[in-house]
Amino acid sequence: MIIVAFILVIGVGVFGSDETVRAEIYFYFDAEDGIVGDELPHHQSGGGANFCQTECSGLGTRATYQSIGSVPQGNQYFQWETVESQNNHYCEIKNVGVFPIENILGKTLYLAFYMRFDRKDENDIWLEGGGTQSWDKGIEMRGNGVRWTVGWGQWDKCDGSYSPGFAANQDHHFTIGSGNPTYHLPGSEYNPNLNGYSCQNPPQLTYERWYALILGVNMACDTTGSRTLWLNGVKIAESTGIQTTNDCFPDIDHITMGGTLAQPGDSTAHYRKFDALILTDAWHDIVDGGYLSDPEGGSDITPPSRSDPQPTGTLTSGTTSTNVSLTTNEIATCKYSETAGKAYDDIPNTFSSINATTHSQTITGLSDGNTYTYYIRCQDTVTPPNQNTDDFNISFSVANAASDTIPPIRSNGFPQGEIEAGTTAQDISLMTDEDATCRYSPIQGASYAAMTNFSATTGTNHTTEVTGLENGLTYTYYVK
C-alpha cells in the first residue's frame, strides 16, 4: 500500500518574504483637525500633509480651514479665496510619509473629493459660450508618466479636437470632465460619454452647491487601462482598453490642486471649497466615504416637471415610425408605457437619452388610421430619486390613406390581329397607369371575382400565358 501525505498551504497575496498585496488609503485630508481660519499645513516633515504653495514656486493665497454653512462630512472643510484674473496658481500636496506611491502598474487608483464653488457678488466664475476655452485643470494625480486631472468650467474641445467643442453651459452653470494633459494619451479626452451625457449634452453644475466626484484610473502602459469619472454617484465618462501611463514604471509623487486658479485668467474672484480629499486603491473606501451619493440629496424633494410633448395631432398617411420627445426642468431619466397608471419602477421602456433634460425615443410599427398614446413618468438624480406619480401623455394619430375611387386605366393590349399558324400557346399582356392586380376571362361580362389572375401582375405591367390555341380560330380575352 502506498500512502500519499501532503500539506496544503494557501498563501493570499504573498509575493516574497515581506511583500503582500493589500488595499491602501495613500492620502486622506478632511480638515477636521485644523483650527477655523488657520492656514493649511505647508511645512510639516515626516508623515504630515503639506499643501505646498510658495515653497513650490507657486503663487496665490494659501488655503484655510473653514466651517461656514453646510459641510458634506464632519464640521469643517478647506477653502481657497481667489483673486480676479489670475491663472496657473497651483498648490502641490506632498507628504513625506506617502509620496512617491510606487508599484501602481495594474492597480486602479481612485481620487475622490467633495467640491463647491461660491461666487462673489453673484458674478459667474467661468464663461458659458460653446467652443469657449474657460477651463480649469482642477485636481490632478501626478508623477512619473502619470497626469490625470478632473477639470471644470467651459471646455472648447470635443473628442480631442477644437471643433465643435462642448455645448454652451446653461446660464449660471459650469461643467466638468477628466483628461490626461501633457501626455494626451488616446482615449483620454475630457468629454463625458455615459448616461445621456456627451459633448453636446455635458453635465450642468450650479454654484453654491456641494458635489461628490470620483476619478478612477487603472494604470497601464499598454492598452489594458481604463479611466472613469463619477458625479454624485452617476458614471458620466468612461474609456476602456486605453493606455493610461506614459511609462511602464509609473508612480504618483504628488497631488496638484488649482487652489487659487489653475487656468484660465478670465475668471472672477470666488471661493473654492473642498472636503474629504482621498487617494486610495480600495473601492470600499469610496463606498464607505459616501462619494457615490449626492451630498445635498436631501434638499430636493420635487420630481421633474415635464413639458413640450411631441408629436401631437395627426401624422401623414404612410408614417411607420416617429420620434416621441419631451423636456424636463432638471436632469432626469424618463420611461414610457402604453398603459396608464404604471409606477415608474414598473414601466418597462426607457427613453434613449437618460440623465438629460431633453428626452427622445424612436417609435416604430405605426400604421394608418390608428391613434397612439404613451404615458410618461420621470425621476431625477438625487438620492433617493424623486419620481413622478402622475402620467404625462404624448398622444397622436396617423391619417388614413386618401380614398381612391378611380379604377386603373388599361392600355397596350397584346397581341392584336393574326398570329403565326401552328401557335398553340401565347403570352398576352397589358399595362395599367397605376399598380394593380389584373384578371382575365374569355367570357364577356364575367365578374372580377370569377376571372383568372395574370401570372405576373400587381405592378403596372401584367403578363400571362394562354394555351390550347388552334389554327383558324379567334380568341378574345376580357381583362379587369
Side-chain angles (χ1 to χ4, degrees):
M1 176 182 294
I2 299 175
I3 300 175
V4 178
F6 63 92
I7 300 173
L8 177 64
V9 179
I10 300 177
V12 180
V14 179
F15 284 77
S17 60
D18 59 355
E19 187 174 359
T20 303
V21 173
R22 62 189 178 89
E24 183 172 355
I25 296 178
Y26 298 108
F27 180 84
Y28 181 74
F29 188 82
D30 66 358
E32 292 301 310
D33 295 332
I35 299 174
V36 172
D38 280 1
E39 294 180 348
L40 268 58
H42 48 80
H43 58 272
Q44 296 186 107
S45 60
N50 285 299
F51 288 78
C52 172
Q53 197 104 20
T54 57
E55 297 80 11
C56 314
S57 300
L59 300 172
T61 57
R62 297 188 188 280
T64 57
Y65 297 96
Q66 297 293 336
S67 63
I68 301 172
S70 63
V71 182
Q73 291 190 8
N75 300 306
Q76 297 183 178
Y77 56 89
F78 54 105
Q79 166 186 290
W80 280 270
E81 180 178 0
T82 77
V83 298
E84 190 167 357
S85 298
Q86 64 175 182
N87 67 336
N88 293 314
H89 293 183
Y90 291 90
C91 173
E92 293 185 0
I93 304 176
K94 297 187 174 182
N95 183 311
V96 176
V98 170
F99 297 110
I101 304 168
E102 300 175 327
N103 300 317
I104 62 173
L105 200 68
K107 292 184 178 181
T108 299
L109 268 60
Y110 300 99
L111 180 66
F113 53 92
Y114 296 98
M115 71 170 196
R116 169 177 170 152
F117 299 113
D118 286 8
R119 296 167 293 180
K120 289 186 177 181
D121 302 321
E122 299 185 354
N123 292 320
D124 287 350
I125 300 172
W126 290 284
L127 303 179
E128 296 166 350
T132 299
Q133 171 69 24
S134 185
W135 189 259
D136 185 345
K137 295 180 177 67
I139 298 187
E140 304 175 327
M141 46 180 159
R142 302 187 64 168
N144 180 46
V146 177
R147 187 181 181 187
W148 283 95
T149 179
V150 179
W152 35 72
Q154 174 66 44
W155 189 232
D156 64 349
K157 294 184 182 180
C158 187
D159 299 319
S161 67
Y162 280 88
S163 180
F166 275 25
N169 288 332
Q170 298 174 12
D171 194 22
H172 311 310
H173 288 71
F174 63 98
T175 192
I176 61 170
S178 66
N180 177 236
T182 303
Y183 304 111
H184 302 286
L185 297 171
S188 64
E189 293 84 5
Y190 279 89
N191 39 289
N193 59 5
L194 288 176
N195 286 314
Y197 295 117
S198 65
C199 289
Q200 290 70 41
N201 184 41
Q204 297 295 299
L205 284 65
T206 61
Y207 300 108
E208 291 81 51
R209 187 196 193 281
W210 284 104
Y211 293 95
L213 280 91
I214 309 163
L215 173 63
V217 181
N218 179 260
M219 300 295 175
C221 61
D222 56 13
T223 56
T224 61
S226 64
R227 176 280 314 256
T228 309
L229 181 65
W230 290 263
L231 169 65
N232 289 348
V234 176
K235 190 184 292 186
I236 66 170
E238 186 168 53
S239 301
T240 58
I242 63 171
Q243 180 182 348
T244 54
T245 71
N246 200 49
D247 193 289
C248 287
F249 297 93
D251 63 35
I252 306 293
D253 59 29
H254 68 279
I255 298 171
T256 296
M257 299 187 71
T260 48
L261 211 62
Q263 63 180 110
D266 54 32
S267 298
T268 61
H270 58 277
Y271 298 101
R272 300 183 166 212
K273 301 179 179 182
F274 300 95
D275 194 20
L277 175 65
I278 187 173
L279 178 61
T280 180
D281 61 13
W283 179 247
H284 69 80
D285 292 330
I286 301 301
V287 176
D288 295 345
Y291 301 99
L292 288 170
S293 61
D294 185 343
E296 298 194 11
S299 61
D300 181 1
I301 59 173
T302 304
S305 174
R306 298 149 294 173
S307 61
D308 194 23
Q310 296 293 333
T312 60
T314 303
L315 307 183
T316 58
S317 171
T319 300
T320 59
S321 66
T322 190
N323 281 328
V324 297
S325 64
L326 72 152
T327 300
T328 53
N329 67 327
E330 61 178 323
I331 293 174
T333 298
C334 296
K335 294 184 175 183
Y336 64 97
S337 173
E338 297 180 51
T339 304
K342 279 182 171 283
Y344 177 86
D345 290 335
D346 296 330
I347 298 176
N349 306 305
T350 303
F351 278 79
S352 57
S353 47
I354 61 177
N355 282 338
T357 56
T358 300
H359 312 268
S360 64
Q361 179 67 39
T362 300
I363 302 295
T364 60
L366 308 181
S367 57
D368 290 356
N370 290 321
T371 297
Y372 300 89
T373 301
Y374 296 94
Y375 304 92
I376 318 297
R377 298 193 183 193
C378 306
Q379 75 172 16
D380 58 20
T381 59
V382 303
T383 304
N386 299 301
Q387 299 177 346
N388 296 123
T389 56
D390 62 327
D391 292 327
F392 180 82
N393 299 350
I394 297 178
S395 185
F396 59 91
S397 59
V398 181
N400 279 313
S403 57
D404 183 358
T405 60
I406 301 175
I409 297 175
R410 295 152 295 176
S411 63
N412 296 336
F414 178 84
Q416 300 288 341
E418 293 185 357
I419 59 176
E420 185 178 351
T423 300
T424 60
Q426 174 67 45
D427 283 344
I428 63 174
S429 63
L430 76 152
M431 297 182 64
T432 54
D433 68 331
E434 61 180 320
D435 289 347
T437 299
C438 293
R439 296 183 175 185
Y440 69 97
S441 174
I443 302 172
Q444 186 175 12
S447 68
Y448 180 82
M451 292 179 162
T452 302
N453 270 343
F454 275 68
S455 58
T457 186
T458 72
T460 58
N461 294 300
H462 314 272
T463 303
T464 198
E465 184 183 52
V466 292
T467 59
L469 305 182
E470 298 179 11
N471 291 341
L473 296 180
T474 298
Y475 296 88
T476 301
Y477 295 96
Y478 303 93
V479 180
K480 292 184 179 179

